[in-house]
Structure formats: structure tokens, C-alpha cells
Amino acid sequence: MKSRIVSTWIEDFLRDRPVRANSLIITIYGDSIAPHGGSVWLGSFIKLAKPLGINDRLVRTSVFRLSKDSWLTSEHIGRRSYYGLTATGRRRFEHAYRRIYFQPKVHWEGDWQIVLTAGNELTPAQRDEVRKELQWEGFGLIASGVLAHPSADLEPLLDILQSNGVQDRVVVVRGKSLGALVNKPTRELVRECWNLSSISQDYKRFLDRFRSVQKALKSARELDPEQCFVVRTLLMHEFRRTLLRDPQLPDQLLPHDWPGNAARQLCHELYVLTQREAENHLMSVLETASGRLPEAAPYFYERFGGLATIN
């Protein structure tokens, strides 16, 4: 049985926070469909997306555009069309969601990654694309052609450079703070490179928006599968929009009252709360070229430090 309170919350959310169909579809594919094989019949996807306010025509238009933009790929079997993430789309998604599903390192020892993109090795288009992807990954532009991030984790950086074919055309330097890890010049650099005040306000709005639906779901006698799927999708879509602006700086460089930690905890708790019924809804609605949607891959259960396996 659907909760009236949750239904009202969903209606209010979709009215007050209109979502772009293309972006929401990517959220659905990355969060819900990729762990289940990645490709589904378009007709079943249209049914899945309907309670999120995306009608048949809008879904068809959006998946066509996403295919042209190399996010989705299509396969036609008889009269049915099946859509799944391309390798490029999956990589783009994984860059974003690696930061969402896994807790960032909070201990920092003064390490910095510095990327120099100046010079004639890159075309203007390549320089812009690398800068854009690095800023999505949390790098700050500290000077023209110079991006930096206080982290020792090179894997995401190298992945971005290799996927853009520029690993031999930029200079990557690993540095380390000398003396005190955090001092006045460092804090000023952080304020100049990253708009933490704006991101903090986004996190606070996120908390205000989702605490009410968390309370409603906790108090419900039973959870409705469709509502759980819709709430989980809106949760991940909204959290992604906020988190992708967050450079995920070490705790030492953040304000003492940083709300990002509370937002991540709420996201984790609400994801776990809706997990079982949301997955049941996916299994009951979506169809693949082979028939029934397969069970989620093992890596799905590694999200947020470990999810309960659904038997």
C-alpha cells in the first residue's frame, strides 16, 4: 500500500525541483540498471520512468539524444529496442559514483596532486575537456593551466588522462605540504579555488528535503516498492548534483560545521531503507533481451560500505 505522505512528498519534489530527463535517465541507468546487466527493453524502461514524471515521448526523445552523445547504445531485436550504457557512458558514470558510494579518505598527510596543462601539447578543445573532467573530480584551478587537489590517490587522475589520450601531453606532479599541514595561506587557497559556502548551503537543503521522507518511510507499516524506487532515484539524483560540486577535501581543510558528512550519512541510511523494495520493483518491471532482469552483480552490495544481500 502506498503511503499518502510519501506520495505527497514525491509530488512536491517533482513540482518544486524539476529534473532534466536526460540527466535523470543517466541516474537510473547508473544507479539501478548497470548492476543488473546494463541493458533493458525500452518499453519496460518507459514504465519504470513514468512515476518520475517522464512520459513516453520524453523518454524516447531523451534516449535518442543520449545515444547521439555516446551515453547509451541501442540494439534492435524484432520490434523491440534495448538500451544500455556505452563503455564511455559507464566510465563517465563510474567517475561520478565512485565518489558517491564510497567514503572519501578523511586522514590527510599534506599530499597534493598538481596537473600542468599549459603549453602547446594540447589543443584548446583537449585542454578544456581535461580541465572540465578534473574539476568534476574535485580539482581546483589555482592558476591558468594549473589544477591541484589535496589527495594522494592517483587512480582517478590517471584514468581521466588516459581516457582523453593526454597522459603524455601534460605534466603531473605529486607534492607535499612542508611544515604545518594547514595554515592561513592554505585556507585562503582553499577559499579561492572551491566555493565551499555555496556547497554547504546545497548540503543543508539536501538534508532538509530528504529528512522528512526518511521519517515517513521509517514510520510506514509497510514499504511500497514503486515509492521506494522513486525515492531512491530522486535521492541519488539530488545527492549526485550536490556531491559533484564538492571537491571532497580532507577534514583538516573543511569548516568545523561541514554538513557534507551528515548528508552522506543520510544518503546511506535512506538508500539502505529503500534498497530491498526498490530492487523488487526493478525486478518486476524491467525486461532484458533474455527475459527477466538478472540479479544485481556482487559489486552492487559494496556500496556505502556494504549492503544487505537480497535473497
Side-chain angles (χ1 to χ4, degrees):
M1 179 181 296
K2 286 183 169 60
S3 163
R4 180 180 58 81
I5 297 175
V6 175
S7 292
T8 300
W9 182 91
I10 292 171
E11 292 170 5
D12 291 344
F13 187 102
L14 294 175
R15 182 190 64 243
D16 299 338
R17 296 282 293 173
V19 293
R20 292 177 57 247
N22 289 19
S23 181
L24 189 59
I25 287 172
I26 290 301
T27 294
I28 297 171
Y29 262 92
D31 182 65
S32 295
I33 297 178
H36 291 273
S39 179
V40 296
W41 172 44
L42 179 59
S44 65
F45 184 84
I46 289 171
K47 182 178 179 182
L48 184 74
K50 186 176 179 179
L52 286 157
I54 310 177
N55 61 33
D56 182 326
R57 179 186 59 79
L58 195 51
V59 169
R60 294 182 186 277
T61 300
S62 296
V63 297
F64 176 75
R65 289 175 179 169
L66 289 168
S67 297
K68 289 186 66 176
D69 291 340
S70 299
W71 276 98
L72 298 178
T73 183
S74 62
E75 178 184 12
H76 301 279
I77 302 177
R79 294 185 177 182
R80 288 189 167 190
S81 298
Y82 298 84
Y83 283 85
L85 287 169
T86 62
T88 300
R90 190 178 292 269
R91 180 184 63 81
R92 290 171 178 170
F93 175 85
E94 288 173 352
H95 274 165
Y97 279 81
R98 178 169 47 209
R99 299 169 61 193
I100 290 176
Y101 296 127
F102 299 101
Q103 182 72 28
K105 293 181 179 179
V106 296
H107 181 66
W108 184 56
E109 297 181 348
D111 299 282
W112 288 84
Q113 295 176 35
I114 302 171
V115 182
L116 310 177
T117 64
N120 299 320
E121 290 295 320
L122 302 180
T123 66
Q126 286 176 321
R127 187 173 293 106
D128 287 345
E129 184 63 24
V130 170
R131 176 188 54 76
K132 181 170 63 175
E133 289 206 37
L134 287 178
Q135 287 184 306
W136 281 346
E137 194 62 35
F139 279 73
L141 186 65
I142 64 174
S144 178
V146 183
L147 296 104
H149 191 275
S151 170
D153 186 4
L154 286 173
E155 183 180 349
L157 168 60
L158 296 178
D159 187 26
I160 290 172
L161 299 179
Q162 290 171 0
S163 64
N164 283 278
V166 298
Q167 65 270 25
D168 297 324
R169 300 183 183 184
V170 300
V171 177
V172 177
V173 177
R174 173 177 283 175
K176 199 171 186 68
S177 297
L178 299 179
L181 294 184
V182 182
N183 52 27
K184 186 176 179 181
T186 304
R187 293 194 180 281
E188 290 177 352
L189 177 66
V190 168
R191 282 195 295 270
E192 291 175 3
C193 290
W194 296 283
N195 190 349
L196 297 184
S197 177
S198 174
I199 298 169
S200 176
Q201 291 303 313
D202 286 345
Y203 274 132
K204 290 176 182 177
R205 282 189 286 267
F206 173 86
L207 287 165
D208 290 341
R209 189 169 290 120
F210 282 93
R211 275 174 176 154
S212 59
V213 74
Q214 180 189 36
K215 182 179 179 181
L217 289 170
K218 280 186 173 181
S219 62
R221 290 186 177 181
E222 59 180 309
L223 299 180
D224 177 76
E226 182 182 276
Q227 286 185 334
C228 285
F229 163 74
V230 171
V231 169
R232 188 178 86 174
T233 300
L234 295 176
L235 171 77
M236 299 313 297
H237 189 68
E238 192 73 5
F239 192 58
R240 178 180 67 141
R241 290 169 64 172
T242 302
L243 189 70
L244 291 188
R245 296 182 57 233
D246 182 355
Q248 294 192 314
L249 302 178
D251 284 351
Q252 296 101 310
L253 298 177
L254 293 172
H256 295 303
D257 58 348
W258 183 245
N261 298 327
R264 177 177 291 277
Q265 183 62 32
L266 173 64
C267 186
H268 178 189
E269 292 175 1
L270 196 44
Y271 200 93
V272 170
L273 181 61
T274 57
Q275 173 199 345
R276 181 179 298 274
E277 294 306 328
E279 290 296 296
N280 287 340
H281 185 65
L282 293 173
M283 301 296 289
S284 68
V285 173
L286 293 177
E287 297 180 39
T288 73
S290 302
R292 187 174 181 269
L293 192 71
E295 297 290 338
Y299 76 82
F300 170 78
Y301 299 99
E302 297 173 0
R303 294 176 174 179
F304 295 109
L307 301 173
T309 303
I310 299 174
N311 296 322

